Amino acid sequence: MAEASDSEMGSPENEALISAAQNPSSSDSDSDSDVGEAEELLRLQTLESEVSSDPSKYDAHVEYIKCLRKLGEIEKLREAREAMSALHPLTPLMWQEWARDELTARPEAFLEIEKLYEKGVFDYLSVPLWCDYLNFVQEHDPAVRECSSEGILKARNLFERALTAAGLHVAEGSKIWEVYREFEQAILLTIDENDNEAKEKQVQRIRNIFHRQLSVPLANMRSTLLAFKAWEVEQGNVLDVNSSSMDGISSHVASAYQKAMDMYDARAHLEEQIVRQDISDSERHQQFLNYLNFEQSSGDPARVQILYERAVTEFPVSRDLWLDYTHYLDKTLKVANVVRDVYSRAVKNCPWVGELWVQYLLSLERAHASERDISTVFDKSLQCTFSRFEEYLDLFLTRVDGLRRRISLPGQEEVLDYALIRDAFQYASDYLSPHLKCTDDLVRLHAYWARLELNLNKDLVAARGVWESLLKNSGSMFGAWQGYIAMELEAGHINEARSIYKRCYSKRFAGTGSEDICHSWLRFEREFGTLEDLEHAVRKGLAYVDFSDDAHLAAAVAKNKKMMRGKKLSIARSDPKQKGKGAGHSNDQTGTVGESDSKESGQISSSKAPQARRDDNFQLKGRNTFAVPRNVRPLGWIDKKKKTEEETDEMPKSNDEFRKMLLKS
């Protein structure tokens, strides 16, 4: 058993554990207390290890913080909270507890606690948290407490921010308005009674806040009206403070109030549905969607945004809510800073949603963010785990798209180097190739890369290098060769394209790739080649056919010299000893199938081949079957003492010689 170090032995946790182990004969109450504390410390160590080994576990962070708070470990508690907030958003309650704990432990640390509140109100919309923040500033900011001009201005700016964030919250927004009015009324009491001008100005400020509040559809609007009337009476105006009638109130205030009441009445039943306690989370989620549809139909973006904020606070890991919210802001609000902040919170709540990261990058580009900011977000996105690997591809392509646009468009504020695009593609290729090997997505990536090297960077050698690199690793893909050929054709390089056709004609391709390349070459020569080139291509080559067993191979060889579609076939068993020189097959169940009298041949084989071609009198079966009529005599044909044609024994030579002869042109 390893010995603990002095520092480990001296820790409070280990001292408690050792004490509990060494003093089993204590009184019952002491024993119960020690056991309880020992269990709590063991749990703390377990949670600490869990958080350290996997910081992405949200629940482990929460339990670890609760345990530290219970034990009063203020220093570790602060570190744990900071570590969690760097990775995950904290709930409003957690921010409230953090700020209060710090205020208790360090009442002099005003600026640090103020920063905590700022972070807290950024994460989620919470009226209670805003009220805590406002009260904290009034009580602990020296400038605000002393009612200096700078302090009053700071407090008013903070109140206006709070109203922007939560003043339209139908159920709880009135609390922000009330705290604001109380602050301004406190300012009124500090004004010298003889300074009538200042007093009147302050009275009008309070009256305006009342008017603004009465024009917003909020809960308890009638109570606000009565409070307003009572306040007006205090100012010397004659009003019936016990009546909710609008008598004595200016017409424009009365009109605004009535409109707000109508708006509230239209939303009251929707508000009731989203706060019901007798429904499931899924039902409440649907009620929020119903409410959002209603607000969007009303056409007030500010009210829609507030409701989205309420929804994501209630359902912070709802992928669909964040996507809907950000799409709405992109389409409707288009305020760069606001949209960017929402996206940063969205990916923090749902980091596994690739589409959110993609849209985040686009929003940054739309807002003309710096290359540094965009690259930082892109790097963060690649640290996440997505459910589909294609999401990583979308991120890389989005990154390249943005670089391309900013490099190619004139008049950009920030001059970017093409090397950024090349680096992004290389990063994508290294990152994705092991997972997207031999897929169309990988071809798509390299096709885009090669096109930009050719057209944007004007570097043909680099463009060809992109394709050659892909062929080196994924040369068995017909699409890779096809893309390379397409690039050369677009550039008008006919001979180079023909050269690539000749290179790939002898390759083994999956599925129908070998047949497709033959068709493609024929079409190419018809459209770009001479008559001689076309005739040369018409003459679809040698095929290697893998059979499932010897019986099927023997049946195929028995078809040697038979007619198929008016052409005589040459069929022979492949010689496995020629592996590496010819077909390269590793078993004996391989045959070569050729059409008589051809001068060209190719190798066609695959582990996943289509169903055998067939006509009424001919059929080949096996794991990979491909038969091509030919017009040449079988290689190795000999006349043994002028035997009849039926008695002639035609045996091709080795695979290597067969291919060499047929590939001569």
Side-chain angles (χ1 to χ4, degrees), residues 107-125:
E108 74 286 353
F110 171 79
L111 293 178
E112 287 80 358
I113 299 172
E114 185 179 41
K115 290 178 182 178
L116 292 181
Y117 277 116
E118 280 292 327
K119 292 179 180 179
V121 296
F122 178 80
D123 270 357
Y124 297 115
L125 172 63

Side-chain angles (χ1 to χ4, degrees), residues 74-75 78 82 98 100-110 112-113 116:
I74 189 65
E75 292 297 330
R78 183 182 300 119
E82 289 173 350
W98 189 355
R100 291 169 183 170
D101 290 345
E102 292 293 342
L103 184 58
T104 300
R106 302 185 299 162
E108 74 286 353
F110 171 79
E112 287 80 358
I113 299 172
L116 292 181

Side-chain angles (χ1 to χ4, degrees), residues 10 34 74 104 143 169 213 217 229 249 299 329 338 368 376 406 527 541 621 651:
D34 290 342
I74 189 65
T104 300
H169 193 302
Q213 182 178 358
K229 294 173 75 172
I249 296 179
L329 293 179
V338 173
H368 305 288
T376 297
R406 281 177 287 150
E527 296 175 359
K621 295 181 179 179
M651 287 296 296

